[in-house]
Amino acid sequence: MTEIARGLEGIYVTETKLCRIDGQKGELVYSGYDIYELAEHSNFEEVCFLLWNGRLPTNEEYSHLVEQLRRERPISPLNNRLLHEMVGFVRPMRALEIAVTAIGALDRNSSDMSPDALQDQARRLTARMSTVIAAYHRIREGNEIVAPRDDLGHAANFLWMLRGSEPSELEARVMDVALILHAEHEMNASTFGAIVTASTQSDMYSAIATAIGTLKGPLHGGANDAVYKTLEAIGTEDKIPAYVDDLLARGERMMGIGHRIYKTTDPRAIILERLGEELAKVSPDAHYYHLSQMLRDYLAQKLEGKPLYPNVDFFSASVYKMLGIPNDLYTPIFAMSRIAGWTAHLMEQYANNRLVRPNALYEGAENRPYVPMSKRD
Ligand SMILES: CC(C)(COP(=O)(O)OP(=O)(O)OC[C@H]1O[C@@H](n2cnc3c(N)ncnc32)[C@H](O)[C@@H]1OP(=O)(O)O)[C@@H](O)C(=O)NCCC(=O)NCCS
């Protein structure tokens, strides 16, 4: 009997030094560093260095990376024109996918898979994707694009370019930690998609375009936007029981709940909830955060005994809302962070490549005689 691994659950497709998840204990570790420690002490740029080099940077290496990322922030005239053409009818994740393809089109060394070239490509993509997302939003709102600022870190600069106002220290820190939390997650669907593309020796830009298309789906990165829409649909605390009961009675899924690997609360959800607490003290949109907590508590009663707990998307929706970010940008922001992990996995893949080519068990008809079209009923 051929065993079918539908969804590839429990199948190991490669080794990695990047990330370990213990879904029973709720542990997430990037290259040996616990996510709670990174969220407490590190920042997104440092986590990028860690993922791309397997160790934390020295002071000098860190400053050098920060400078290199800053230099790569401005978008090309081609992407500027494309974004102006696309707004209004191309949704943000598709726009990001197209923009990444355009970044690749302008890189004369896009097919260079040497370690140095891959590091260049990873930095370029990481720096530019945040500018693309912010610029797309500014253009669609009829506002001027805001140029990146050299004196701001990656997270603060993103909020600056998006909103046109400098974020508070707390907002910048929350954004930074959200980027750390989403940066890497072992062999998730979008990372696997990227690896399949790279395994044909296609270039990093094409692999990242694949990853963005894969992340878009509501069972993966699209869940954060879906959580926001759920909160909007519920509206007020008193509507939670009826909404949840109806949804579960219809056999539908609550977005932001459940995970293929975590069978306890996702540690990223715990960290985001804590950050949300701080933001909620000062945000005019704190209602979304409190509603999320009440929804979580009600779901805990309804789903008792089932391994279904909040995942990273559950609290990211209300946290992003409190940062003043429109909900259709939540998934692009996930991509803007996960680019760190995607590119790191691609570096591992190119260094030890094998074409990914599984099998499908044929169950169709056999030995059918070909009938000319004129003789078919
Ligand atoms: C993430 C997800 C796809 C993982 O699913 P999976 O590992 O394939 O789990 P399964 O689809 O086998 O589900 C197992 C059981 O839990 C139920 N379940 C899973 N997620 C659920 C959810 N969010 N709400 C309600 N029930 C859920 C399934 O209906 C199934 O029930 P059954 O055994 O009675 O049929 C799933 O939990 C989900 O769809 N979550 C919502 C989307 C989401 O938040 N995605 C972001 C992930 S970070």
Side-chain angles (χ1 to χ4, degrees):
M1 276 290 281
T2 305
E3 219 174 283
I4 306 281
R6 207 170 286 287
L8 300 184
E9 197 166 347
I11 304 286
Y12 288 79
V13 294
T14 187
E15 305 92 351
T16 180
K17 291 190 164 56
L18 299 173
C19 178
R20 181 177 66 73
I21 305 169
D22 187 326
Q24 300 299 332
K25 292 190 192 148
E27 282 177 3
L28 171 59
V29 178
Y30 294 172
S31 291
Y33 296 93
D34 190 272
I35 196 66
Y36 286 101
E37 278 217 50
L38 291 172
E40 179 80 28
H41 303 295
S42 189
N43 67 17
F44 180 66
E45 288 92 324
E46 189 181 45
V47 166
C48 286
F49 188 98
L50 172 66
L51 294 170
W52 296 337
N53 298 280
R55 61 178 174 81
L56 291 173
T58 62
N59 221 323
E60 203 181 314
E61 288 168 333
Y62 173 77
S63 306
H64 188 51
L65 174 65
V66 166
E67 181 46 38
Q68 286 173 313
L69 286 169
R70 278 181 192 152
R71 270 208 309 268
E72 289 287 357
R73 280 175 181 168
I75 53 173
S76 66
L78 171 63
N79 247 329
N80 197 325
R81 277 204 310 280
L82 276 173
L83 288 174
H84 277 91
E85 290 289 325
M86 287 189 291
V87 294
F89 71 99
V90 179
R91 292 170 60 86
M93 280 298 270
R94 180 85 63 207
L96 187 61
E97 197 178 323
I98 293 169
V100 159
T101 302
I103 296 169
L106 294 179
D107 181 356
R108 287 206 200 105
N109 295 325
S110 63
S111 55
D112 185 346
M113 285 153 201
S114 64
D116 282 352
L118 293 176
Q119 293 259 347
D120 276 354
Q121 293 163 15
R123 285 193 299 270
R124 181 167 307 119
L125 283 162
T126 303
R128 295 257 177 103
M129 277 168 62
S130 65
T131 318
V132 163
I133 296 166
Y136 169 94
H137 180 61
R138 302 289 303 175
I139 297 167
R140 74 176 173 178
E141 295 283 292
N143 292 323
E144 289 290 313
I145 293 179
V146 176
R149 257 179 54 185
D150 283 350
D151 58 329
L152 295 177
H154 192 73
N157 178 59
F158 171 69
L159 290 174
W160 158 252
M161 293 189 299
L162 184 77
R163 309 187 316 193
S165 61
E166 199 172 320
S168 70
E169 215 173 289
L170 173 64
E171 288 175 322
R173 180 65 194 150
V174 171
M175 188 72 231
D176 202 11
V177 176
L179 294 181
I180 293 173
L181 298 179
H182 288 82
E184 163 55 15
H185 215 230
E186 200 229 44
M187 198 45 60
N188 55 88
S190 54
T191 302
F192 185 56
I195 280 191
V196 172
T197 300
S199 82
T200 68
Q201 286 188 352
S202 184
D203 61 80
M204 189 180 258
Y205 298 99
S206 293
I208 295 303
T210 305
I212 293 171
T214 311
L215 185 72
K216 179 152 61 72
L219 295 191
H220 191 6
N224 49 18
D225 185 16
V227 171
Y228 175 79
K229 288 177 181 142
T230 301
L231 295 173
E232 283 272 270
I234 293 174
T236 49
E237 180 188 356
D238 55 308
K239 308 261 173 44
I240 290 175
Y243 184 93
V244 171
D245 295 356
D246 281 0
L247 182 124
L248 295 179
R250 290 195 305 271
E252 288 177 22
R253 290 170 180 222
M254 180 59 69
M255 293 292 119
I257 297 291
H259 199 275
R260 177 60 64 81
I261 308 287
Y262 294 114
K263 299 305 166 198
T264 180
T265 303
D266 179 339
R268 301 168 299 174
I270 295 172
I271 297 168
L272 277 170
E273 184 179 5
R274 286 181 196 157
L275 291 172
E277 195 74 52
E278 295 304 305
L279 270 183
K281 288 179 193 154
V282 290
S283 168
D285 290 313
H287 162 70
Y288 289 86
Y289 174 73
H290 297 306
L291 194 61
S292 302
Q293 287 183 311
M294 291 182 278
L295 177 60
R296 183 265 322 272
D297 293 344
Y298 187 73
L299 283 165
Q301 291 170 34
K302 291 296 289 184
L303 300 171
E304 205 186 339
K306 295 189 179 173
L308 294 171
Y309 300 89
N311 60 46
V312 67
D313 297 307
F314 192 81
F315 281 106
S316 59
S318 53
V319 165
Y320 291 155
K321 175 72 184 172
M322 291 191 285
L323 287 175
I325 300 172
N327 62 295
D328 64 353
L329 297 188
Y330 296 176
T331 314
I333 289 170
F334 192 153
M336 163 189 145
S337 161
R338 184 58 57 82
I339 185 66
W342 286 335
T343 47
H345 278 279
L346 291 171
M347 290 175 195
E348 283 190 337
Q349 182 68 26
Y350 288 122
N352 186 17
N353 188 49
R354 180 156 170 82
L355 177 71
V356 178
R357 203 301 189 188
N359 298 98
L361 185 67
Y362 182 65
E363 289 186 337
E366 298 282 5
N367 302 324
R368 296 162 118 181
Y370 182 83
V371 180
M373 208 178 282
S374 60
K375 301 228 167 92
R376 288 178 217 157
D377 299 332

